[in-house]
Amino acid sequence: MKKIIIISLVILGLAAGAGLGVLIWWLVRSDSPYETILLEGNLGAVRSTAAFTRIHGHGDMFWWFYPSVASSPMSRPVLLWLHGVTGIASSYLANFGMFGPYDANFDRRHDSWVNDYNLLFVDAPLGTGFSSSNWQNTSNTDFPGLDENADHLLRTLQSFYDIHGEYKNAPLYVCSQGDGSQLALALTIKLNEDNSFKDRFKGIILGNPVISPALALTKLGFYLEELGYVDAAGREAIENFSNVTSLLVESEQFQEAFLKFTFLGKYINENTGAVAVNLAHIVEKLYRSSLDSDYFGVKSYLDSLYPTDTHINNFMDTVGRAILHVPDTVRYDGQRELATNAFMETYMKPIVDKVEHILSNSDVTVNIYNGNLDAVSNTPGQLEWVNRLSWPGQAQFLSSPRETLVFNRLIEGYFRESNRLRFYWLNVAGQLAPIDNPIGIRRILNRITNN
């Protein structure tokens, strides 16, 4: 049945494209370091704009924008959503997998965020999703890393507003999940330095962020022992793993630390007595043979939610390509390994200083939420760095009461809020928090955006 749906949609997409005209409309700005390549195509009844921002000499950044279906969408917040190098690109995971207007079976998602917000999904960094780099060297050293991708994201936002200038007065929030927080923080600093974004840029939203991964890892043994997944010996094994990782970070052996850290799921399941634990969603029941094969278990968890015989990359290379008329020369996630290698030197570096810089040198709000079922970015480990932040408003934040997040009398989580820094504990949610607790996330977004 699923194959029939996919084939039918491909045919419909191609037919619709034929009616709209040939592939691409070019918007060329000779005085600009970038140009925008609009893709002709749409998905169902919900309007959208998809495009490549071509950064001259570097590559093409793909973005997909859904205007809110609410009344007066130009007054609604624009949520720019980012993932990172160890996850799944935004054009699939956030869009089809979590809160876009349609799910992976092309059923209309009635609780989609597009009901209240404008959604801007960007495949970043270059090399992930439909975004690609011009890199052609024989060495990985020149593939764009964190700082370069932050520059490219800034150009991409400028490109988006070139096309959709009607949203220039809408509040802008940079949002991320997991290690997408590294890109989100780097972009936030650049946006804060660019006066053209000053009035519209309101805040950064970090979901289960990877900010100080080695520090968060120091609490993993305690976390898993308290939940009963390991015993005292298992906790000791995890703490030994954590100590070695921390020493690698302290000695600035960041590549070695990254390789060890991404081995975490396999190590837990083979050396601590846990046997079958999905670190992305700790309460998922697994078969004994269901070991973590995709870094931290996000893909396997997503497969359990949306079972299909079509691989994500194949899905986007066929169905997604047909819907939007993406050129055949672009292969979905075709440079993922190169992009991951380019981030090895920065991934494990603590970036708490970037959070402190934003809090101390801007007016934007820093909003953090953490699902209590995510073992990698476990909440006790997150609070290790959050409670130690150094900025003028830290005392106010720490003295703010911890309050309850309630909807229809059910407790969805907790929160501590100050004027600039806010932390949200989210119940019954793992790394894919928008899927696990959509009501709680919506309440958090309402509080952050006053929407």
Side-chain angles (χ1 to χ4, degrees), residues 293-355:
S293 60
D294 55 290
Y295 290 120
F296 307 117
V298 172
K299 288 182 180 178
S300 60
Y301 181 49
L302 197 65
D303 287 342
S304 72
L305 296 174
Y306 302 109
T308 174
D309 56 359
T310 303
H311 187 274
I312 289 171
N313 290 3
N314 293 338
F315 175 91
M316 294 301 289
D317 267 331
T318 54
V319 179
R321 182 186 308 282
I323 292 169
L324 300 175
H325 303 116
V326 174
D328 291 337
T329 54
V330 180
R331 188 163 60 90
Y332 196 79
D333 246 9
Q335 297 173 310
R336 169 74 67 170
E337 184 177 352
L338 291 170
T340 302
N341 291 341
F343 273 68
M344 281 189 184
E345 279 295 337
T346 56
Y347 191 98
M348 294 299 291
K349 286 183 180 180
I351 50 175
V352 178
D353 61 317
K354 285 185 168 61
V355 180

Short mmCIF file of all heavy atoms in Angstrom, two decimals, residues 293-355:
data_model
loop_
_atom_site.label_atom_id
_atom_site.label_comp_id
_atom_site.label_asym_id
_atom_site.label_seq_id
_atom_site.Cartn_x
_atom_site.Cartn_y
_atom_site.Cartn_z
N SER A 293 22.77 1.54 15.61
CA SER A 293 23.58 1.55 14.40
C SER A 293 23.60 2.91 13.72
O SER A 293 24.16 3.05 12.65
CB SER A 293 23.06 0.49 13.41
OG SER A 293 21.72 0.77 13.07
N ASP A 294 22.97 3.93 14.33
CA ASP A 294 22.91 5.24 13.70
C ASP A 294 23.25 6.31 14.72
O ASP A 294 22.46 7.18 15.04
CB ASP A 294 21.53 5.48 13.07
CG ASP A 294 20.39 5.32 14.06
OD1 ASP A 294 20.12 4.20 14.48
OD2 ASP A 294 19.78 6.34 14.40
N TYR A 295 24.45 6.22 15.23
CA TYR A 295 24.94 7.11 16.29
C TYR A 295 24.14 6.92 17.56
O TYR A 295 24.49 6.11 18.39
CB TYR A 295 24.95 8.57 15.84
CG TYR A 295 26.00 8.88 14.79
CD1 TYR A 295 25.66 9.37 13.56
CD2 TYR A 295 27.34 8.65 15.05
CE1 TYR A 295 26.62 9.65 12.59
CE2 TYR A 295 28.31 8.91 14.10
CZ TYR A 295 27.95 9.41 12.88
OH TYR A 295 28.91 9.66 11.94
N PHE A 296 23.03 7.63 17.74
CA PHE A 296 22.36 7.61 19.03
C PHE A 296 20.94 7.07 18.98
O PHE A 296 20.17 7.28 19.91
CB PHE A 296 22.37 9.02 19.63
CG PHE A 296 23.75 9.62 19.70
CD1 PHE A 296 24.08 10.76 18.98
CD2 PHE A 296 24.75 9.00 20.45
CE1 PHE A 296 25.35 11.29 19.03
CE2 PHE A 296 26.03 9.53 20.50
CZ PHE A 296 26.34 10.68 19.79
N GLY A 297 20.54 6.40 17.91
CA GLY A 297 19.27 5.71 17.88
C GLY A 297 18.09 6.47 17.31
O GLY A 297 16.96 5.99 17.38
N VAL A 298 18.32 7.65 16.74
CA VAL A 298 17.21 8.46 16.23
C VAL A 298 16.52 7.76 15.05
O VAL A 298 15.29 7.68 14.99
CB VAL A 298 17.69 9.86 15.80
CG1 VAL A 298 16.58 10.63 15.10
CG2 VAL A 298 18.16 10.63 17.03
N LYS A 299 17.31 7.24 14.11
CA LYS A 299 16.72 6.61 12.93
C LYS A 299 15.92 5.37 13.30
O LYS A 299 14.82 5.15 12.77
CB LYS A 299 17.80 6.26 11.91
CG LYS A 299 18.40 7.47 11.21
CD LYS A 299 19.43 7.06 10.17
CE LYS A 299 20.01 8.28 9.48
NZ LYS A 299 21.06 7.92 8.50
N SER A 300 16.45 4.54 14.20
CA SER A 300 15.73 3.33 14.57
C SER A 300 14.43 3.67 15.28
O SER A 300 13.41 2.99 15.10
CB SER A 300 16.61 2.42 15.44
OG SER A 300 16.98 3.08 16.63
N TYR A 301 14.45 4.72 16.10
CA TYR A 301 13.22 5.13 16.78
C TYR A 301 12.21 5.68 15.78
O TYR A 301 11.02 5.38 15.85
CB TYR A 301 13.55 6.18 17.84
CG TYR A 301 12.33 6.65 18.62
CD1 TYR A 301 11.44 5.74 19.16
CD2 TYR A 301 12.07 8.01 18.80
CE1 TYR A 301 10.32 6.16 19.87
CE2 TYR A 301 10.96 8.43 19.50
CZ TYR A 301 10.09 7.51 20.03
OH TYR A 301 8.98 7.92 20.72
N LEU A 302 12.68 6.45 14.81
CA LEU A 302 11.79 7.00 13.79
C LEU A 302 11.17 5.87 12.97
O LEU A 302 9.99 5.91 12.63
CB LEU A 302 12.55 7.96 12.88
CG LEU A 302 11.71 8.91 12.03
CD1 LEU A 302 10.95 9.88 12.89
CD2 LEU A 302 12.60 9.67 11.06
N ASP A 303 11.97 4.85 12.66
CA ASP A 303 11.45 3.71 11.91
C ASP A 303 10.36 2.98 12.67
O ASP A 303 9.41 2.46 12.08
CB ASP A 303 12.58 2.73 11.58
CG ASP A 303 13.50 3.24 10.49
OD1 ASP A 303 13.09 4.17 9.76
OD2 ASP A 303 14.64 2.74 10.38
N SER A 304 10.49 2.94 14.00
CA SER A 304 9.45 2.28 14.80
C SER A 304 8.15 3.07 14.81
O SER A 304 7.07 2.50 14.97
CB SER A 304 9.94 2.07 16.24
OG SER A 304 10.00 3.30 16.95
N LEU A 305 8.25 4.38 14.62
CA LEU A 305 7.05 5.22 14.60
C LEU A 305 6.38 5.22 13.23
O LEU A 305 5.15 5.23 13.12
CB LEU A 305 7.41 6.66 14.99
CG LEU A 305 7.95 6.88 16.39
CD1 LEU A 305 8.41 8.32 16.56
CD2 LEU A 305 6.88 6.55 17.43
N TYR A 306 7.21 5.24 12.18
CA TYR A 306 6.70 5.26 10.81
C TYR A 306 7.31 4.11 10.02
O TYR A 306 8.22 4.30 9.20
CB TYR A 306 7.05 6.60 10.12
CG TYR A 306 6.52 7.81 10.83
CD1 TYR A 306 7.39 8.67 11.50
CD2 TYR A 306 5.16 8.10 10.84
CE1 TYR A 306 6.91 9.80 12.15
CE2 TYR A 306 4.68 9.22 11.49
CZ TYR A 306 5.56 10.07 12.15
OH TYR A 306 5.07 11.17 12.79
N PRO A 307 6.85 2.88 10.28
CA PRO A 307 7.43 1.73 9.57
C PRO A 307 7.24 1.84 8.06
O PRO A 307 6.16 2.14 7.58
CB PRO A 307 6.67 0.53 10.15
CG PRO A 307 5.45 1.09 10.79
CD PRO A 307 5.76 2.50 11.18
N THR A 308 8.31 1.63 7.33
CA THR A 308 8.27 1.70 5.87
C THR A 308 9.40 0.88 5.31
O THR A 308 10.42 0.66 5.98
CB THR A 308 8.40 3.16 5.39
OG1 THR A 308 8.48 3.16 3.97
CG2 THR A 308 9.63 3.84 5.96
N ASP A 309 9.22 0.41 4.09
CA ASP A 309 10.30 -0.33 3.43
C ASP A 309 11.16 0.58 2.57
O ASP A 309 11.99 0.13 1.80
CB ASP A 309 9.73 -1.48 2.58
CG ASP A 309 8.72 -0.99 1.54
OD1 ASP A 309 8.47 0.22 1.49
OD2 ASP A 309 8.20 -1.84 0.80
N THR A 310 10.96 1.87 2.71
CA THR A 310 11.71 2.85 1.92
C THR A 310 12.68 3.61 2.83
O THR A 310 12.27 4.22 3.81
CB THR A 310 10.77 3.86 1.24
OG1 THR A 310 9.86 3.15 0.42
CG2 THR A 310 11.56 4.84 0.39
N HIS A 311 13.95 3.56 2.51
CA HIS A 311 14.97 4.28 3.26
C HIS A 311 14.75 5.79 3.12
O HIS A 311 14.28 6.26 2.08
CB HIS A 311 16.36 3.89 2.75
CG HIS A 311 17.49 4.43 3.55
ND1 HIS A 311 18.01 5.68 3.35
CD2 HIS A 311 18.19 3.88 4.57
CE1 HIS A 311 18.99 5.89 4.20
NE2 HIS A 311 19.13 4.82 4.95
N ILE A 312 15.09 6.54 4.16
CA ILE A 312 14.86 7.98 4.15
C ILE A 312 15.48 8.64 2.92
O ILE A 312 14.85 9.44 2.23
CB ILE A 312 15.40 8.62 5.45
CG1 ILE A 312 14.52 8.23 6.63
CG2 ILE A 312 15.48 10.14 5.31
CD1 ILE A 312 15.10 8.64 7.97
N ASN A 313 16.75 8.31 2.65
CA ASN A 313 17.43 8.93 1.51
C ASN A 313 16.75 8.57 0.19
O ASN A 313 16.59 9.42 -0.70
CB ASN A 313 18.89 8.50 1.47
CG ASN A 313 19.70 9.10 2.61
OD1 ASN A 313 19.16 9.79 3.46
ND2 ASN A 313 20.98 8.82 2.65
N ASN A 314 16.33 7.30 0.06
CA ASN A 314 15.63 6.90 -1.16
C ASN A 314 14.29 7.61 -1.28
O ASN A 314 13.88 8.01 -2.37
CB ASN A 314 15.41 5.38 -1.16
CG ASN A 314 16.70 4.61 -1.29
OD1 ASN A 314 17.70 5.14 -1.78
ND2 ASN A 314 16.70 3.37 -0.85
N PHE A 315 13.61 7.77 -0.16
CA PHE A 315 12.33 8.47 -0.13
C PHE A 315 12.49 9.90 -0.66
O PHE A 315 11.75 10.36 -1.53
CB PHE A 315 11.79 8.48 1.30
CG PHE A 315 10.53 9.28 1.50
CD1 PHE A 315 9.29 8.68 1.39
CD2 PHE A 315 10.60 10.63 1.83
CE1 PHE A 315 8.12 9.42 1.58
CE2 PHE A 315 9.46 11.37 2.03
CZ PHE A 315 8.20 10.76 1.90
N MET A 316 13.48 10.60 -0.15
CA MET A 316 13.69 11.99 -0.56
C MET A 316 14.26 12.07 -1.97
O MET A 316 13.95 13.02 -2.71
CB MET A 316 14.60 12.71 0.43
CG MET A 316 13.99 12.87 1.82
SD MET A 316 12.43 13.81 1.82
CE MET A 316 13.01 15.46 1.45
N ASP A 317 15.07 11.11 -2.36
CA ASP A 317 15.64 11.12 -3.71
C ASP A 317 14.61 10.81 -4.78
O ASP A 317 14.81 11.13 -5.95
CB ASP A 317 16.79 10.10 -3.81
CG ASP A 317 18.14 10.74 -3.54
OD1 ASP A 317 18.30 11.94 -3.82
OD2 ASP A 317 19.04 10.04 -3.04
N THR A 318 13.51 10.17 -4.41
CA THR A 318 12.46 9.85 -5.38
C THR A 318 11.26 10.76 -5.20
O THR A 318 10.98 11.63 -6.03
CB THR A 318 12.05 8.37 -5.26
OG1 THR A 318 11.67 8.09 -3.89
CG2 THR A 318 13.18 7.46 -5.66
N VAL A 319 10.56 10.60 -4.09
CA VAL A 319 9.33 11.36 -3.86
C VAL A 319 9.61 12.84 -3.66
O VAL A 319 9.00 13.71 -4.31
CB VAL A 319 8.56 10.79 -2.66
CG1 VAL A 319 7.29 11.59 -2.41
CG2 VAL A 319 8.24 9.32 -2.87
N GLY A 320 10.55 13.17 -2.77
CA GLY A 320 10.86 14.57 -2.52
C GLY A 320 11.37 15.27 -3.76
O GLY A 320 11.00 16.41 -4.06
N ARG A 321 12.22 14.59 -4.50
CA ARG A 321 12.77 15.17 -5.73
C ARG A 321 11.65 15.44 -6.74
O ARG A 321 11.63 16.47 -7.40
CB ARG A 321 13.79 14.20 -6.34
CG ARG A 321 14.46 14.71 -7.60
CD ARG A 321 15.35 13.65 -8.22
NE ARG A 321 16.28 13.10 -7.27
CZ ARG A 321 17.40 13.70 -6.87
NH1 ARG A 321 17.70 14.89 -7.37
NH2 ARG A 321 18.19 13.13 -6.00
N ALA A 322 10.70 14.49 -6.87
CA ALA A 322 9.62 14.65 -7.84
C ALA A 322 8.68 15.78 -7.46
O ALA A 322 8.21 16.53 -8.32
CB ALA A 322 8.84 13.34 -7.97
N ILE A 323 8.41 15.93 -6.17
CA ILE A 323 7.50 16.99 -5.71
C ILE A 323 8.06 18.36 -6.05
O ILE A 323 7.35 19.25 -6.53
CB ILE A 323 7.26 16.87 -4.19
CG1 ILE A 323 6.45 15.62 -3.87
CG2 ILE A 323 6.53 18.11 -3.66
CD1 ILE A 323 6.40 15.30 -2.39
N LEU A 324 9.36 18.55 -5.80
CA LEU A 324 9.97 19.87 -5.92
C LEU A 324 10.77 20.06 -7.20
O LEU A 324 11.25 21.16 -7.47
CB LEU A 324 10.88 20.13 -4.72
CG LEU A 324 10.19 20.08 -3.35
CD1 LEU A 324 11.23 20.24 -2.24
CD2 LEU A 324 9.13 21.16 -3.24
N HIS A 325 10.95 18.99 -7.98
CA HIS A 325 11.75 19.05 -9.20
C HIS A 325 13.20 19.44 -8.90
O HIS A 325 13.78 20.33 -9.53
CB HIS A 325 11.14 19.99 -10.24
CG HIS A 325 9.74 19.61 -10.61
ND1 HIS A 325 8.66 20.39 -10.35
CD2 HIS A 325 9.25 18.47 -11.19
CE1 HIS A 325 7.56 19.79 -10.76
NE2 HIS A 325 7.89 18.62 -11.27
N VAL A 326 13.74 18.77 -7.91
CA VAL A 326 15.15 18.96 -7.58
C VAL A 326 15.99 18.33 -8.70
O VAL A 326 15.69 17.22 -9.15
CB VAL A 326 15.48 18.30 -6.23
CG1 VAL A 326 16.97 18.37 -5.94
CG2 VAL A 326 14.68 18.96 -5.11
N PRO A 327 17.04 19.00 -9.17
CA PRO A 327 17.86 18.44 -10.26
C PRO A 327 18.43 17.07 -9.91
O PRO A 327 18.76 16.78 -8.76
CB PRO A 327 18.98 19.48 -10.41
CG PRO A 327 18.41 20.74 -9.85
CD PRO A 327 17.49 20.34 -8.75
N ASP A 328 18.56 16.24 -10.91
CA ASP A 328 19.08 14.88 -10.72
C ASP A 328 20.53 14.88 -10.25
O ASP A 328 21.02 13.87 -9.72
CB ASP A 328 18.98 14.08 -12.03
CG ASP A 328 17.54 13.77 -12.39
OD1 ASP A 328 16.68 13.78 -11.48
OD2 ASP A 328 17.26 13.54 -13.59
N THR A 329 21.22 15.98 -10.45
CA THR A 329 22.63 16.05 -10.05
C THR A 329 22.80 16.14 -8.54
O THR A 329 23.91 15.96 -8.03
CB THR A 329 23.30 17.27 -10.70
OG1 THR A 329 22.54 18.45 -10.38
CG2 THR A 329 23.39 17.10 -12.21
N VAL A 330 21.72 16.44 -7.81
CA VAL A 330 21.78 16.58 -6.35
C VAL A 330 21.31 15.28 -5.73
O VAL A 330 20.18 14.84 -5.95
CB VAL A 330 20.90 17.74 -5.86
CG1 VAL A 330 20.97 17.85 -4.34
CG2 VAL A 330 21.32 19.04 -6.52
N ARG A 331 22.15 14.64 -4.93
CA ARG A 331 21.79 13.40 -4.25
C ARG A 331 21.56 13.68 -2.77
O ARG A 331 22.38 14.31 -2.11
CB ARG A 331 22.89 12.35 -4.43
CG ARG A 331 22.53 10.96 -3.92
CD ARG A 331 23.46 9.92 -4.51
NE ARG A 331 24.85 10.18 -4.15
CZ ARG A 331 25.43 9.69 -3.06
NH1 ARG A 331 24.76 8.94 -2.21
NH2 ARG A 331 26.70 9.95 -2.82
N TYR A 332 20.43 13.22 -2.26
CA TYR A 332 20.06 13.52 -0.87
C TYR A 332 21.07 12.91 0.09
O TYR A 332 21.37 11.72 0.04
CB TYR A 332 18.66 12.99 -0.57
CG TYR A 332 18.04 13.57 0.67
CD1 TYR A 332 17.47 14.84 0.64
CD2 TYR A 332 18.03 12.88 1.87
CE1 TYR A 332 16.91 15.39 1.78
CE2 TYR A 332 17.47 13.41 3.01
CZ TYR A 332 16.90 14.67 2.96
OH TYR A 332 16.34 15.21 4.10
N ASP A 333 21.59 13.74 0.99
CA ASP A 333 22.59 13.34 1.97
C ASP A 333 23.85 12.78 1.31
O ASP A 333 24.57 11.97 1.90
CB ASP A 333 22.02 12.30 2.94
CG ASP A 333 21.92 12.82 4.37
OD1 ASP A 333 22.13 14.03 4.57
OD2 ASP A 333 21.63 12.03 5.28
N GLY A 334 24.12 13.23 0.10
CA GLY A 334 25.21 12.66 -0.68
C GLY A 334 26.60 12.95 -0.14
O GLY A 334 27.55 12.25 -0.49
N GLN A 335 26.73 13.96 0.72
CA GLN A 335 28.05 14.29 1.27
C GLN A 335 28.03 14.25 2.80
O GLN A 335 28.83 14.91 3.46
CB GLN A 335 28.47 15.68 0.79
CG GLN A 335 28.65 15.79 -0.71
CD GLN A 335 28.90 17.23 -1.15
OE1 GLN A 335 28.17 18.15 -0.77
NE2 GLN A 335 29.92 17.44 -1.97
N ARG A 336 27.11 13.47 3.36
CA ARG A 336 26.97 13.42 4.83
C ARG A 336 28.27 13.03 5.52
O ARG A 336 28.65 13.63 6.54
CB ARG A 336 25.85 12.44 5.19
CG ARG A 336 25.75 12.08 6.66
CD ARG A 336 25.17 13.17 7.52
NE ARG A 336 23.76 13.43 7.23
CZ ARG A 336 22.98 14.20 7.99
NH1 ARG A 336 23.49 14.79 9.07
NH2 ARG A 336 21.73 14.41 7.66
N GLU A 337 28.96 12.02 5.00
CA GLU A 337 30.20 11.58 5.64
C GLU A 337 31.25 12.68 5.63
O GLU A 337 31.95 12.90 6.64
CB GLU A 337 30.73 10.33 4.94
CG GLU A 337 31.96 9.75 5.61
CD GLU A 337 32.45 8.46 4.97
OE1 GLU A 337 31.73 7.93 4.09
OE2 GLU A 337 33.54 7.99 5.33
N LEU A 338 31.35 13.40 4.53
CA LEU A 338 32.32 14.51 4.46
C LEU A 338 31.94 15.62 5.44
O LEU A 338 32.81 16.21 6.09
CB LEU A 338 32.37 15.05 3.03
CG LEU A 338 32.97 14.13 1.97
CD1 LEU A 338 32.74 14.70 0.58
CD2 LEU A 338 34.45 13.92 2.23
N ALA A 339 30.64 15.92 5.53
CA ALA A 339 30.20 16.95 6.45
C ALA A 339 30.50 16.55 7.89
O ALA A 339 30.95 17.37 8.71
CB ALA A 339 28.70 17.19 6.27
N THR A 340 30.25 15.28 8.22
CA THR A 340 30.54 14.80 9.58
C THR A 340 32.02 14.90 9.89
O THR A 340 32.42 15.36 10.97
CB THR A 340 30.06 13.34 9.73
OG1 THR A 340 28.66 13.27 9.44
CG2 THR A 340 30.30 12.84 11.14
N ASN A 341 32.85 14.50 8.94
CA ASN A 341 34.31 14.59 9.15
C ASN A 341 34.75 16.03 9.38
O ASN A 341 35.65 16.31 10.17
CB ASN A 341 35.05 14.01 7.94
CG ASN A 341 34.88 12.51 7.83
OD1 ASN A 341 34.52 11.83 8.79
ND2 ASN A 341 35.14 11.97 6.65
N ALA A 342 34.09 16.98 8.69
CA ALA A 342 34.46 18.39 8.82
C ALA A 342 34.12 18.94 10.19
O ALA A 342 34.69 19.96 10.60
CB ALA A 342 33.76 19.22 7.73
N PHE A 343 33.20 18.30 10.92
CA PHE A 343 32.79 18.77 12.23
C PHE A 343 33.51 18.05 13.37
O PHE A 343 33.29 18.37 14.55
CB PHE A 343 31.28 18.62 12.40
CG PHE A 343 30.49 19.79 11.88
CD1 PHE A 343 30.43 20.06 10.52
CD2 PHE A 343 29.81 20.63 12.75
CE1 PHE A 343 29.72 21.14 10.04
CE2 PHE A 343 29.09 21.72 12.28
CZ PHE A 343 29.03 21.98 10.92
N MET A 344 34.37 17.11 13.05
CA MET A 344 35.03 16.34 14.10
C MET A 344 35.88 17.22 15.03
O MET A 344 36.00 16.94 16.22
CB MET A 344 35.92 15.26 13.49
CG MET A 344 35.17 14.03 13.02
SD MET A 344 36.32 12.73 12.55
CE MET A 344 35.20 11.49 11.93
N GLU A 345 36.47 18.27 14.48
CA GLU A 345 37.35 19.12 15.29
C GLU A 345 36.59 20.08 16.18
O GLU A 345 37.16 20.68 17.09
CB GLU A 345 38.30 19.90 14.37
CG GLU A 345 39.51 19.11 13.91
CD GLU A 345 40.46 18.75 15.04
OE1 GLU A 345 40.44 19.42 16.09
OE2 GLU A 345 41.20 17.77 14.89
N THR A 346 35.29 20.27 15.92
CA THR A 346 34.52 21.23 16.72
C THR A 346 33.41 20.58 17.54
O THR A 346 32.95 21.17 18.51
CB THR A 346 33.89 22.29 15.80
OG1 THR A 346 33.07 21.65 14.81
CG2 THR A 346 34.95 23.12 15.12
N TYR A 347 32.99 19.37 17.16
CA TYR A 347 31.81 18.76 17.76
C TYR A 347 31.91 18.64 19.28
O TYR A 347 30.96 18.94 20.01
CB TYR A 347 31.58 17.38 17.14
CG TYR A 347 30.24 16.76 17.48
CD1 TYR A 347 29.17 16.83 16.60
CD2 TYR A 347 30.05 16.07 18.67
CE1 TYR A 347 27.95 16.26 16.89
CE2 TYR A 347 28.83 15.50 18.99
CZ TYR A 347 27.78 15.60 18.08
OH TYR A 347 26.57 15.03 18.39
N MET A 348 33.04 18.18 19.78
CA MET A 348 33.18 17.91 21.22
C MET A 348 33.68 19.11 22.01
O MET A 348 33.77 19.04 23.24
CB MET A 348 34.13 16.73 21.42
CG MET A 348 33.59 15.41 20.90
SD MET A 348 32.04 14.87 21.69
CE MET A 348 32.61 14.50 23.35
N LYS A 349 33.99 20.21 21.33
CA LYS A 349 34.41 21.41 22.06
C LYS A 349 33.23 21.98 22.84
O LYS A 349 32.16 22.21 22.26
CB LYS A 349 34.92 22.47 21.09
CG LYS A 349 36.28 22.20 20.50
CD LYS A 349 36.72 23.37 19.61
CE LYS A 349 38.09 23.11 19.00
NZ LYS A 349 38.52 24.23 18.12
N PRO A 350 33.37 22.22 24.12
CA PRO A 350 32.28 22.87 24.86
C PRO A 350 32.02 24.26 24.27
O PRO A 350 32.95 25.01 23.98
CB PRO A 350 32.83 22.97 26.29
CG PRO A 350 33.95 21.98 26.35
CD PRO A 350 34.53 21.91 24.97
N ILE A 351 30.76 24.59 24.06
CA ILE A 351 30.41 25.90 23.49
C ILE A 351 29.52 26.68 24.46
O ILE A 351 28.71 27.49 24.05
CB ILE A 351 29.74 25.76 22.11
CG1 ILE A 351 28.59 24.74 22.14
CG2 ILE A 351 30.76 25.38 21.06
CD1 ILE A 351 27.83 24.66 20.82
N VAL A 352 29.73 26.41 25.74
CA VAL A 352 29.01 27.17 26.77
C VAL A 352 29.32 28.66 26.63
O VAL A 352 28.47 29.52 26.88
CB VAL A 352 29.39 26.66 28.17
CG1 VAL A 352 28.70 27.48 29.26
CG2 VAL A 352 29.04 25.18 28.31
N ASP A 353 30.55 28.97 26.22
CA ASP A 353 30.95 30.37 26.07
C ASP A 353 30.09 31.09 25.04
O ASP A 353 29.85 32.30 25.16
CB ASP A 353 32.43 30.48 25.71
CG ASP A 353 32.77 29.80 24.40
OD1 ASP A 353 32.27 28.68 24.16
OD2 ASP A 353 33.54 30.36 23.60
N LYS A 354 29.62 30.37 24.02
CA LYS A 354 28.74 30.99 23.03
C LYS A 354 27.39 31.36 23.64
O LYS A 354 26.82 32.41 23.34
CB LYS A 354 28.55 30.07 21.82
CG LYS A 354 29.75 29.99 20.88
CD LYS A 354 29.43 29.14 19.66
CE LYS A 354 30.49 29.29 18.56
NZ LYS A 354 31.82 28.88 18.98
N VAL A 355 26.88 30.48 24.49
CA VAL A 355 25.63 30.79 25.19
C VAL A 355 25.82 32.02 26.07
O VAL A 355 24.99 32.94 26.08
CB VAL A 355 25.17 29.58 26.04
CG1 VAL A 355 23.87 29.91 26.78
CG2 VAL A 355 24.99 28.35 25.17
#
